[in-house]
Amino acid sequence: MSTEKLKQHKIIFVVGGPGSGKGTQCEKIVQKYGYTHLSTGDLLRAEVSSGSERGKKLQAIMEKGELVPLDTVLDMLRDAMVAKADVSKGFLIDGYPREVKQGEEFEKKIAPPTLLLYVDAGKDTMVKRLLKRGETSGRVDDNEETIKKRLETYYKATEPVIAFYKSRGIVRQLNAEGSVDEVFQQVCTHLDCL
């Protein structure tokens, strides 16, 4: 299965904390630019619910609370990208890479990223947004204690990733404090240049 095709596509890593609004921005990019939005979490969940062999293995790993092996995640991303290569203008890889090694492996196995969009909202903003979401979402992890832990984990993991790609000059940092449309205007400025 050839990844050669993918090298001509725009590949954008989208990084942002929980509550930064990156999901919403990804939806808007898909509508306007015709990119394919791939979230590793969604791919894993879809694979598990498909009941495939790979899905069963993944379910066992996740039930133990262990991390899914990097190779498996990359294989799934690659399969999904190759499947959409003919119809897609580009790819948004959402919530990936979580660490520098993941980014390096992605390049070896798939292709180098064109840009990294860093959806940057302040800690207080993210806490506020998540608490608000918690009022309606019923998600158990949307409470203040858990939220602060999730944010700490996120910052620790993300800082080296941002630094790594900044040194290559492909990071585009968005100020995600404003309204959805204000943030999207910034997104468009970067994507229209590609």
Side-chain angles (χ1 to χ4, degrees):
M1 182 176 64
S2 162
T3 51
E4 265 319 296
K5 253 196 230 164
L6 298 174
K7 293 202 165 58
Q8 292 115 42
H9 283 67
K10 296 180 181 76
I11 296 174
I12 298 176
F13 288 159
V14 186
V15 175
S20 62
K22 73 179 161 66
T24 311
Q25 294 303 323
C26 284
E27 281 167 31
K28 292 181 79 71
I29 295 170
V30 169
Q31 282 162 9
K32 180 169 178 181
Y33 294 94
Y35 282 26
T36 300
H37 178 206
L38 296 172
S39 140
T40 50
D42 290 348
L43 285 172
L44 289 170
R45 283 186 286 274
E47 188 77 43
V48 167
S49 58
S50 77
S52 69
E53 271 313 299
R54 182 157 72 182
K56 286 182 188 132
K57 281 189 191 126
L58 290 173
Q59 190 168 8
I61 293 169
M62 296 194 299
E63 276 170 2
K64 285 185 205 143
E66 290 169 8
L67 286 179
V68 174
L70 180 55
D71 282 348
T72 310
V73 176
L74 281 173
D75 287 343
M76 290 171 67
L77 273 173
R78 190 183 57 201
D79 293 351
M81 289 169 81
V82 169
K84 291 267 169 38
D86 293 334
V87 293
S88 186
K89 299 215 165 58
F91 295 96
L92 296 172
I93 312 293
D94 179 353
Y96 190 95
R98 293 268 165 100
E99 50 188 55
V100 173
K101 183 172 176 273
Q102 291 183 343
E104 291 173 331
E105 289 296 316
F106 183 97
E107 284 185 45
K108 268 187 223 149
K109 277 195 155 183
I110 302 174
T114 316
L115 273 192
L116 183 147
L117 278 184
Y118 179 26
V119 187
D120 187 21
K123 216 176 239 176
D124 295 343
T125 303
M126 293 198 275
V127 170
K128 254 191 235 124
R129 286 180 186 166
L130 290 169
L131 287 173
K132 202 175 158 71
R133 184 176 83 184
E135 289 166 18
T136 52
S137 73
R139 277 178 59 162
V140 288
D141 56 358
D142 283 347
N143 63 65
E144 198 152 349
E145 223 10 60
T146 317
I147 289 169
K148 291 201 164 132
K149 282 206 182 94
R150 277 165 66 201
L151 288 177
E152 262 164 47
T153 310
Y154 159 72
Y155 281 117
K156 261 195 208 115
T158 311
E159 277 162 13
V161 171
I162 302 295
F164 177 73
Y165 289 104
K166 259 192 183 150
S167 68
R168 291 197 192 177
I170 65 167
V171 172
R172 301 291 176 270
Q173 193 158 349
L174 309 171
N175 173 353
E177 294 287 328
S179 70
V180 168
D181 290 331
E182 284 165 354
V183 179
F184 191 58
Q185 268 174 328
Q186 300 173 61
V187 171
C188 295
T189 339
H190 299 310
L191 294 193
D192 290 344
C193 300
L194 295 180

